[in-house]
Amino acid sequence: MVTPENLSGETGGKGECQSNQEASAMSVDMDTAIVLLGAGVTAITHPLLYVKLLIQVGHEPLAPTVGTTMFGRKVLYLPGFFSYAQHIVQVDGKRGLFRGLSPRIMSSAISTMVRGKLKQAIPAEEAEHVSNKDNLKTSLRKVVNETSHEMVIQCLSRIVTHPLHVISVRCMAQFVGREVKYRGLFSCINRIFQEEGIGGFFVGVVPHVLGEVIFLWCCNLLAHLINTYAVDDNFSQASAVRSYSKFVMGIAVSVLTYPFMLVADLMAINNCGLVAGLPPYSPIFKTWFHCWAHLSHESRLFRGSSFFFRRVPVTAMTLTEE
């Protein structure tokens, strides 16, 4: 027998079910939008990373030009991003600027999905916003907990997507020796597995993860210290300053952790059969420590960190020869 109570219960149940379905659909749409946005950003910025990688491996196909600084000192200016990109277009055409893009897009999409799933599986602890110096211990504990949670997610995401990073780096590095060894995702996977085994997919993962962990902790802790000690709660724009502090710290800390990214990229192509990973471009490194020590000895730990202000001091002998 249908009573008003039963009818009301059924209506409420159907409404709740429909509400859950709508929420689930919105969540899926949001995840899809984030993945598509990430793919677009990855595609737009890929030429920048492509040029940076070629500079990282020491490939300088264009001759430097002699110039002077604002203080009158003569230097050799190496080609910037636009000159380098134009050279790539002349050799491979406009499509050549997007060599190795497919693995990077897949890596970006997988990373977004993995991070989303991990955040659901490993929920962060709820904590209220604290910025008062009287609650310094509480706020510091909050930052540590949040950073630890973010670190776990970031490390797992990086480990999962690192094989695609290795494939992308090797595809781009083929420009140096004009090889065609790595073509097609499945072909690359098969070749790496046949030649190097499972370990070949994770070369360079340690410095990559280590660099991201150091970046994360330094960025969050420095931003916390600035927000606690340098920003007064009575300041009218305190909230706005605090919102940008982590971004500014991220730029500064990224410069300090750049050598880890450089070592990771060089290890990804080291002794893999490509010209870019063999002498004379690069020695054969046994470990990433060896690679770091070599770059440090050659004062090249920051090679490729700049796109537009790349210069080398000109010796008297060089100027005489020119």
Side-chain angles (χ1 to χ4, degrees), residues 99-116:
R99 182 195 293 259
L101 175 60
S102 298
R104 286 199 63 232
I105 290 179
M106 290 189 63
S107 175
S108 174
I110 293 174
S111 176
T112 300
M113 292 186 291
V114 168
R115 291 174 66 88

Side-chain angles (χ1 to χ4, degrees), residues 102-116 118 153-169 185 189 192 200-205 208-209 212 265 268:
S102 298
R104 286 199 63 232
I105 290 179
M106 290 189 63
S107 175
S108 174
I110 293 174
S111 176
T112 300
M113 292 186 291
V114 168
R115 291 174 66 88
L118 288 174
I153 293 176
Q154 183 65 24
C155 289
L156 293 176
S157 174
R158 169 55 57 191
I159 292 173
V160 170
T161 59
H162 191 76
L164 291 170
H165 176 76
V166 172
I167 293 173
S168 177
V169 168
L185 180 62
I189 293 175
I192 293 175
F201 294 103
F202 296 96
V203 287
V205 69
H208 210 159
V209 170
E212 291 186 349
D265 289 342

